[in-house]
Amino acid sequence: MFVELIYGFISNSLGLISDSLHMLIDSSALAIALYANYVSKKKPSTTFTFGYERVEILSGYVNGIFLLYAVIEIISESFERLMTP
């Protein structure tokens, strides 16, 4: 993933850069989901009477925000490269 990112910057390849960003987001999504699964198994407390099951929903939201940011960044970079080749 990092090697692909480095060679993407060296060769100025948007395909390599976007693929490495995609792999980074997938890896971070797996890590966030693993942590959310761990936290959601905690017992309810007096503060959180429902428990921590909503952490899984919030982790999906965070993953969606990361993915949306990556898409916007890739699209803006591609338009920039189209205008100034």
Side-chain angles (χ1 to χ4, degrees), residues 28-76:
S28 65
L30 288 172
I32 290 170
L34 182 65
Y35 180 71
N37 191 15
Y38 169 73
V39 170
S40 69
K41 303 295 183 204
K42 291 174 93 174
K43 302 277 189 214
S45 64
T46 57
T47 308
F48 298 104
T49 56
F50 181 73
Y52 293 90
E53 291 189 27
R54 293 193 176 137
V55 172
E56 291 178 337
I57 297 168
L58 290 175
S59 72
Y61 178 73
V62 168
N63 183 26
I65 294 295
F66 283 159
L67 194 58
L68 187 63
Y69 174 73
V71 167
I72 291 171
E73 194 66 33
I74 290 169
I75 288 174
S76 68

